[in-house]
Structures are given as C-alpha cells and as structure tokens.
C-alpha cells in the first residue's frame, strides 16, 4: 500500500506541489523562447556564445525536469525517465561549457541527440499522463523537439549561421508550445479546483437548509 502524501515531510510536499504546478512548464517554455530569441538576435554570435547560451538553457531545463519527477501524478517509470533526462540535460549543458567541445559539429551532435531523446520521452509522457488539450500540446512539443533534433543531426557540420537559425527557431517554437501547454494545464487545474470546492460546499448548504 502506498504512503499517504500527507505523511511526507513538509519540504517534500512543497516540492511535489511545485512539480505539478503549471509554473514549471511556463518557466521552461519562457526560458526556451528567451534563449531562442537571444540566439537569433545576437549580432555576430560565435560558437562560444551559442554554446554558453545553450548551456544555460540546458542546465536550467534539466533542473526543472528533475523537479518535475517529484510530481505525485507520476508513476515509477515516468519518474525514473524524468530523472534520467534531467540529469542528461544538465550533463550536456556542462559539456557545452568546455572550450574543447565548442565546435559547430560537436554542439550539433550533442544538442540534436538530446532533443530527439527528450522529444520521444515527451510524447510518451504526454500520451500516458496528460488529458484533454494538454495532451495534444504536450505531444506537439515532443514531436517538434524530435523533428528539430533530427534536422540538426542530419546537418551537424553545417555553417554556424545555419546552425544558429536552426537552434534558435526550434527553441522559440518549442518554447511557445510549452507556454501554451502550461496555460492550458493551469486553466484546467483552476476549473477542477473550483468544481471541487463547489461540490464540497453543496452538502453543507443542503444541511444548513434543513429545518
């Protein structure tokens, strides 16, 4: 029999609550859009600049994915997958900071492979754990990540200008989808909470109305 969440320490309950919050997806999506815009708009961006921007995005996104693993709605398999992908994202982000790996070819291979893995995992996670419109947006984000990663893997040694546009465009598009998904999840959560409060208040009102 599973443990009652109310028996968990307050810090664990707070972390689980944050892990299920739409703010997690909104934050990840907003960061992706911001880094994507910076990648596209940075004048004369060098490989080192692109590597540092991606390092920030991958490390923060990895930490957010690690936090999301603590969501109470996740099963054991989904939790392990989130931990592995979050750790991998942080690792790739740290590797992007190494000067010896800051080449267009290496960055393309590392980030492309990571995007494909994250996209596949995102599709599986959304299909198995999400409901309604949130599922569709989650699957869309995963598919876009897979497509973007595949394109980068097919042309890993392309020119820096082309690689920059590929990276930036994928980040912006996927980020926008994640923001929309977070808004949808938040709206559904608020509606469910309001419905639950109304259902809980109904019996009390009935009892009060009795003579």
């Amino acid at each position: 029999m599973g443990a009652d969440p109310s028996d968990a320490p307050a810090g664990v309950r707070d972390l689980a609550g944050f892990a299920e919050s739409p703010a997690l997806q909104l934050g990840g999506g907003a960061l992706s859009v911001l880094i994507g815009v910076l990648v596209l708009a940075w004048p004369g961006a060098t490989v080192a600049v692109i590597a540092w921007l991606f390092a920030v995005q991958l490390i923060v996104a990895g930490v957010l994915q690690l936090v999301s693993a603590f969501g109470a709605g996740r099963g054991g398999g989904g939790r392990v997958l989130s931990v592995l992908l979050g750790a991998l994202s942080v690792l790739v982000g740290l590797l992007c900071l190494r000067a010896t790996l800051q080449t267009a070819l290496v960055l393309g291979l590392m980030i492309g492979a990571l995007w494909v893995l994250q996209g596949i995992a995102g599709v599986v996670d959304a299909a198995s754990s999400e409901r309604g419109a949130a599922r569709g947006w989650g699957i869309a984000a995963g598919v876009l990540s897979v497509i973007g990663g595949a394109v980068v893997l097919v042309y890993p040694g392309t020119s820096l200008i082309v690689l920059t546009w590929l990276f930036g465009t994928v980040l912006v598009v996927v980020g926008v989808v994640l923001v929309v998904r977070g808004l949808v999840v938040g709206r559904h959560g608020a509606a469910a909470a309001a419905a639950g409060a109304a259902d809980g208040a109904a019996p009390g009102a009935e009892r009060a109305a009795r003579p």
Side-chain angles (χ1 to χ4, degrees):
M1 187 169 71
D4 187 346
S6 62
D7 294 335
V12 174
R13 292 199 304 270
D14 292 342
L15 183 59
F18 179 66
E20 295 178 338
S21 170
L24 203 64
Q25 295 180 37
L26 290 171
L31 176 67
S32 181
V33 172
L34 175 62
I35 298 297
V37 170
L38 287 176
V39 168
L40 292 173
W42 198 291
T46 63
V47 174
V49 170
I50 300 301
W52 273 88
L53 289 174
F54 265 95
V56 172
Q57 192 270 333
L58 292 173
I59 291 172
V60 175
V63 171
L64 292 178
Q65 181 127 31
L66 288 171
V67 172
S68 73
F70 290 88
R74 284 188 178 274
R79 184 164 290 138
V80 171
L81 186 61
S82 286
V83 169
L84 291 176
L85 288 176
L88 181 61
S89 181
V90 172
L91 175 62
V92 173
L94 293 174
L95 290 176
C96 287
L97 298 177
R98 294 182 61 87
T100 55
L101 300 178
Q102 290 176 352
T103 67
L105 175 61
V106 174
L107 286 177
L109 290 174
M110 289 195 303
I111 295 172
L114 179 63
W115 279 353
V116 170
L117 291 175
Q118 288 180 329
I120 293 173
V123 169
V124 173
D125 183 57
S128 61
S129 63
E130 298 287 358
R131 296 293 182 272
R135 173 185 289 178
W137 285 107
I139 292 175
V143 170
L144 288 171
S145 181
V146 171
I147 293 173
V151 171
V152 174
L153 285 175
V154 171
Y155 304 103
T158 188
S159 69
L160 179 60
I161 295 177
V162 174
L163 196 63
T164 297
W165 276 96
L166 282 174
F167 281 168
T169 302
V170 172
L171 282 176
V172 171
V173 173
V174 172
V176 169
V177 173
L178 288 176
V179 168
V180 174
R181 182 189 184 191
L183 292 173
V184 170
V185 171
R187 189 181 306 119
H188 286 177
D199 291 341
E206 291 177 359
R207 286 194 298 269
R210 291 173 185 170

